[in-house]
Amino acid sequence: MPADPSAHGSGETPLRRAADTSRRAAPSPKVRSSGTSAVEVRRSSRRRRTVSAYREGDRTVVLIPARMSEAEEERWVTVMLDKLAAQESKRMLGDAELAERAERLSSQFLDGRARPASVRWVTNQNTRWGSCTPAEGSIRLSHRLQGMPEYVIDYVLLHELAHLLVPGHGPRFWRLLESYPRTERARGYLEGVVAADRLPHLPAARDE
């Protein structure tokens, strides 16, 4: 599975970010609800290419460029919430757990027809999220997925399981993934990661 504004996680200093929006006039923060917590979106005219997010008490603050469209805002809020959730969930799945998840996913979404001989993490896949060799029944997931939301890992794993049944990406292949309810969200998350990696990472002083 190929892995083809810069999104920074919660590593930026919250107090510095809060001050950013107060120094220059900007639209009033927008507060929305996400599950059981509130999300506050703050637009900054000084912010050009970066999107960042951090926790502030019982709410999540997402900082975006003032020129960003409503559609882009919706997408990036989802991406940043997922990134924060991934950062806060440090537990990494081992190879044995991946194999167990593969068995469960195959049973749940593929009628148990995909039965890999091996499922493991690898560190030599920098342009693909996952790959498989149908003749050997082996599935390999990129280590870059570690720490991402579990539904994203499940999607990539299910994607490779489907390839054990259908090698290409034709209509028959995509029909196998239709029953997985988070296919589009997982694809959107991965596309956001790729888009962020492609943007230039400017020095912090200039990003402001």
Side-chain angles (χ1 to χ4, degrees):
M1 181 180 179
D4 274 271
S6 174
H8 298 289
S10 57
E12 297 182 8
T13 305
L15 289 179
R16 183 179 177 186
R17 287 304 183 195
D20 169 44
T21 56
S22 65
R23 287 196 298 265
R24 291 193 178 186
S28 299
K30 179 192 302 181
V31 179
R32 66 178 74 185
S33 176
S34 176
T36 58
S37 62
V39 178
E40 180 179 324
V41 180
R42 300 177 184 172
R43 290 175 175 263
S44 170
S45 59
R46 300 187 65 183
R47 188 174 288 266
R48 293 290 183 267
R49 294 184 176 88
T50 62
V51 177
S52 62
Y54 61 87
R55 305 294 190 194
E56 187 176 80
D58 61 352
R59 69 174 57 193
T60 301
V61 177
V62 180
L63 302 165
I64 64 175
R67 64 182 180 181
M68 186 173 285
S69 69
E70 290 294 324
E72 290 175 320
E73 175 186 318
E74 290 288 341
R75 181 169 69 88
W76 280 106
V77 166
T78 298
V79 168
M80 297 310 294
L81 288 176
D82 283 341
K83 285 176 69 69
L84 281 178
Q87 291 169 3
E88 293 167 356
S89 178
K90 299 297 184 181
R91 190 176 73 87
M92 299 298 181
L93 299 174
D95 289 350
E97 289 175 298
L98 277 183
E100 292 175 1
R101 294 179 82 88
E103 182 179 357
R104 175 179 60 79
L105 289 167
S106 176
S107 176
Q108 185 174 358
F109 299 105
L110 302 174
D111 298 322
R113 291 179 294 141
R115 300 178 180 177
S118 66
V119 184
R120 60 192 176 91
W121 295 108
V122 294
T123 58
N124 62 351
Q125 290 190 160
N126 294 319
T127 60
R128 303 171 72 87
W129 296 117
S131 63
C132 74
T133 305
E136 299 176 357
S138 61
I139 290 177
R140 299 163 297 279
L141 264 58
S142 171
H143 71 288
R144 294 181 303 140
L145 290 165
Q146 293 178 331
M148 290 188 186
E150 290 189 356
Y151 76 86
V152 175
I153 297 174
D154 280 353
Y155 166 71
V156 176
L157 190 51
L158 186 60
H159 185 109
E160 301 309 328
L161 285 167
H163 275 313
L164 294 180
L165 305 176
V166 181
H169 287 99
R172 183 173 165 230
F173 171 82
W174 292 112
R175 280 197 295 271
L176 292 176
L177 298 181
E178 287 179 352
S179 59
Y180 183 62
R182 292 190 166 185
T183 289
E184 291 306 315
R185 185 177 179 188
R187 286 170 62 85
Y189 181 96
L190 293 172
E191 288 170 0
V193 171
V194 171
D197 287 343
R198 286 176 174 171
L199 288 175
H201 295 274
L202 303 177
R206 293 179 62 185
D207 282 345
E208 296 306 309

